[in-house]
Amino acid sequence: KVLAVFGLRPEELKHLEKRTDRGTCEKYIWCSYQKRTGGGLTQPRRLYDLPLVNENGEIQEWNLVELFHQNLIDLPPLQSKTGPAEACRKYMSKKEGWIVLKKRVEERNERLGTYSFRHSYSVRGHQRNIDGGSMATAMGHSYETHCREYPWATKSGTDKAFKAAKITA
């Protein structure tokens, strides 16, 4: 749930901190992870949740920020010879929800991995009209990286965006 709702890399699960906004007293989760890239280091960031929607169109409210602040989220062991992504995959491979999801995905000749949650976070953000720059910041990478690695533009999405722009103009 944490990977999906916050669009995290598995490695980032090891770098989460409780924080509270001094001005608003709003609790949030901070990720201190800095990924090395060709352009340097990514920046630590505040995490923003994008709740999932179930098959009935209902928003899945899990209150993960509050649960995290109360120490009620047990993360899986993240030690593995090949890293946290593999540890997450092994952990999830035993969970019923993952098994069902994997079967659905494979029936469509698609792949499912630990980064699938991160990719779906990007898709949900764009479906909810969050601009690419904001999504890039929330996901902890540059706008350039976001456009290159998360090219979710579609003809129907482009049509909707321009129709919406005409209505609000």
Side-chain angles (χ1 to χ4, degrees):
K1 290 177 184 176
V2 173
L3 289 174
V5 169
F6 296 105
L8 297 177
R9 302 169 180 100
E11 173 69 29
E12 292 174 327
L13 292 173
K14 297 172 19 180
H15 302 272
L16 303 180
E17 303 170 15
K18 301 173 203 172
R19 296 257 177 118
T20 304
D21 185 286
R22 291 182 188 161
T24 65
C25 297
E26 177 186 11
K27 296 176 184 177
Y28 62 94
I29 301 173
W30 179 262
C31 179
S32 61
Y33 179 68
Q34 292 184 283
K35 181 178 179 180
R36 291 203 179 280
T37 68
L41 286 175
T42 62
Q43 295 301 306
R45 68 195 189 279
R46 178 181 179 158
L47 299 182
Y48 294 93
D49 61 322
L50 277 178
L52 282 72
V53 177
N54 69 18
E55 294 168 347
N56 299 322
E58 302 161 332
I59 293 177
Q60 299 293 290
E61 278 298 338
W62 293 316
N63 299 313
L64 296 177
V65 172
E66 186 60 36
L67 292 173
F68 185 77
H69 273 259
Q70 293 179 19
N71 297 318
L72 296 175
I73 293 179
D74 290 324
L75 296 174
L78 297 170
Q79 290 74 37
S80 170
K81 290 180 183 177
T82 55
E86 178 64 16
C88 285
R89 190 197 60 73
K90 283 182 180 179
Y91 172 82
M92 289 185 295
S93 70
K94 299 171 187 151
K95 302 295 181 185
E96 183 180 343
W98 179 262
I99 294 166
V100 170
L101 181 60
K102 187 173 174 91
K103 184 179 178 200
R104 280 190 202 166
V105 168
E106 288 173 349
E107 286 170 355
R108 295 191 313 236
N109 291 324
E110 295 175 350
R111 292 178 0 143
L112 179 66
T114 55
Y115 263 70
S116 297
F117 297 122
R118 187 162 171 79
H119 301 315
S120 70
Y121 180 84
S122 176
V123 171
R124 285 193 316 279
H126 290 292
Q127 287 172 338
R128 295 174 188 177
N129 298 317
I130 299 172
D131 65 273
S134 296
M135 286 305 302
T137 300
M139 294 178 73
H141 52 238
S142 70
Y143 181 65
E144 177 186 355
T145 296
H146 190 77
C147 292
R148 184 180 63 246
E149 300 298 328
Y150 299 90
W152 307 122
T154 62
K155 183 183 180 327
S156 64
T158 302
D159 291 345
K160 284 182 193 174
F162 277 86
K163 285 178 184 172
K166 288 179 183 177
I167 292 170
T168 60

